[in-house]
Structures are given as C-alpha cells and as structure tokens.
Amino acid sequence: MKLRQSILPALLLALLLSLGSERLAAQGFDWQYSSRLPTGYPVLFVGVLGNAAQSLHTTTMRVSESLPRVLDCGCAFSTARSIDWSAGIVGEYWLPESNIAVYVALLAEQRNAVFQSDSVVFARNPNLYPTNFVSRYTLTTQVWNTSIEAGFRGKFAPLPFFVGAAVQGAYTLVDSARSLRLVEDANGTVKEGLPTNFITFNPVNFSAKAFIGADIPLATSMYASPSLFIAYPFGNLITGSASWTRLSFGLQVAFMLGFLP
C-alpha cells in the first residue's frame, strides 16, 4: 500500500520538472531531413508495443463455497505468482511546445494464475491408516483479454529519460478455470474436472499504470522506448463476495515510426 501511495507524488514531481525543461525537437533526436530546405519534425508516431510482467495475486476464494456440504473441505486459496504478457499497436502524439506526449494503445493480453491449498486435516483410525486424510486443491486459470490503454509521458530534456502514467480498460474475451484435487491418502487418489463455479471473472476491469524509461533512436523518424512499469487494478477481478487482486510489474518495449507534418 505504501509503495502505491508513493508512486503518484513522485510521478507528478517528475512531470513538473519536465514541463519546465527545454523544449524537445523531434523528441530530443537530432534528425536531419534536409540540408537545404527547412522541414518540420514529426509529432505523430505509430508503432507496436509489447510487455512481459510478473504478477503477484491475492485472493480469498474458497472451494467449499461451491461444493455440497458433504464435500466441504475448508480449502481457501490465498496467493499465487504468474508471468503475463501483452502485445498490440500504439499511437503517440507530442503536444506542441511541450515535452509531453499522449498515447493510446490497443492490446491483446494473456493472464494466468495457479493457486494451491490443502484442506483441513481429517483424523483417521491410526490402526487402519498411517496418516491423516488431507486433500490438496489446485486451481489453474487462464484469461485472454482485449484492452485499451490511454496515458501520457513527460520527458526530461535534453536527457532521453521519461516518466508516465496510464489507465487501462480490459474486456475478457475467453476465460477458463479448472480445479484439480489430489487426495493424499494411501492410494494417492487423483480427481480432475471438479466444479469451478465458485469463480466468475468480471467481464470488464480497469487498472492504473506508472512507468519510467528511455527513448533510443534507431533511424530517421524511428526510435525504441523500453521502460519498467507497475500496474494495479482499481477493483475486484471476480464477482461475488470473494476478492481477487494482483500487483504486476515488468518490462515493456515500444518501436515507433514518425510521420512528418
């Protein structure tokens, strides 16, 4: 919580410093378009964007909420980690007489998580069984989203570094969830395909994102923008009384091509 609260003040301070800095020409790159005729610099860029992130998931989902009383295992999931990725197209416009750009991106996302939890321990007759009865539940989820991300970034002229913030709205296209129950008894019984109706994803969710990176020129009117980011959803990822949220952080890279005015 303290980390998320400290991001916004630092970001606002960085943008204020950027506003007072030297105006950028073509985002700080000394591109030469003509040695004889005056030309403008591009302010509109389009390109591709991709990122990979590690997500830390926290949930309060309980398997016992959806199973009949006879199968109530007292199992509650809590945390998980995952590697997620997204890719898509992006458009960027640099505001006149400023070091700030606004952008919009259309992305496809793949997100997954694997939760594990043991049931409560059921005592058994020690004369018949050497150990008590314990079940382990594994919940595997995979979600495909399409999302729109809109944000801005400010640059520290004449340095190539920038900071930015964005808001992302994601719509769930495909989701799947399955539960695997491993009963650790003398026979090592395994049961698959158990009901997963205790989990229903919100079809639409929104998240906030902050990032810091640098622009690297590749050729005339072309540059790459690698950056580190952190993202957190505004609300619950699932419906119902249980909660599920995630903190994601990772690396994203954009490759941009500019168009002369």
Side-chain angles (χ1 to χ4, degrees):
M1 181 64 68
K2 292 182 178 179
L3 175 61
R4 297 196 299 271
Q5 292 176 346
S6 62
I7 290 176
L8 184 57
L11 180 60
L12 292 177
L13 177 60
L15 289 177
L16 288 176
L17 293 175
S18 176
L19 285 171
S21 61
E22 174 188 352
R23 179 181 180 272
L24 292 177
Q27 293 65 60
F29 303 136
D30 189 18
W31 289 323
Q32 181 64 43
Y33 292 95
S34 173
S35 60
R36 296 183 179 181
L37 300 175
T39 59
Y41 287 98
V43 294
L44 177 64
F45 292 79
V46 295
V48 294
L49 172 68
N51 71 57
Q54 182 174 86
S55 296
L56 308 179
H57 304 261
T58 304
T59 186
T60 60
M61 290 184 294
R62 294 180 60 85
V63 176
S64 58
E65 292 179 358
S66 65
L67 298 180
R69 174 59 59 181
V70 67
L71 294 177
D72 189 349
C73 65
C75 174
F77 299 112
S78 57
T79 61
R81 292 174 179 262
S82 69
I83 300 296
D84 306 320
W85 62 266
S86 66
I89 57 176
V90 57
E92 182 178 73
Y93 175 74
W94 286 83
L95 302 179
E97 304 297 330
S98 77
N99 300 330
I100 294 180
V102 294
Y103 75 91
V104 176
L106 178 62
L107 303 168
E109 299 179 327
Q110 187 271 329
R111 295 186 176 275
N112 62 86
V114 178
F115 296 93
Q116 283 192 337
S117 178
D118 290 342
S119 70
V120 296
V121 178
F122 296 96
R124 299 194 290 187
N125 187 337
N127 296 324
L128 299 177
Y129 302 98
T131 61
N132 292 326
F133 185 89
V134 180
S135 300
R136 169 164 293 183
Y137 287 82
T138 301
L139 174 68
T140 302
T141 67
Q142 187 175 72
V143 178
W144 289 88
N145 297 331
T146 180
S147 66
I148 296 179
E149 180 176 313
F152 62 94
R153 62 191 185 102
K155 203 162 184 180
F156 299 92
L159 300 176
F161 304 109
F162 62 82
V163 295
V167 175
Q168 185 184 73
Y171 177 75
T172 301
L173 294 177
V174 179
D175 72 80
S176 61
R178 67 180 187 274
S179 179
L180 168 67
R181 187 176 79 165
L182 171 62
V183 181
E184 298 178 345
D185 59 8
N187 297 323
T189 304
V190 177
K191 294 184 179 180
E192 299 187 48
L194 297 179
T196 57
N197 54 348
F198 59 89
I199 172 175
T200 301
F201 289 99
N202 274 321
V204 178
N205 60 80
F206 296 90
S207 60
K209 182 178 182 180
F211 50 90
I212 182 172
D215 290 333
I216 302 173
L218 301 177
T220 302
S221 294
M222 295 180 61
Y223 66 92
S225 290
S227 61
L228 300 174
F229 71 90
I230 183 170
Y232 192 81
F234 289 124
N236 197 359
L237 299 178
I238 56 177
T239 62
S241 59
S243 66
W244 182 354
T245 188
R246 64 171 175 257
L247 175 67
S248 302
F249 52 92
L251 171 68
Q252 68 180 19
V253 180
F255 295 93
M256 310 298 296
L257 173 63
F259 295 87
L260 288 174

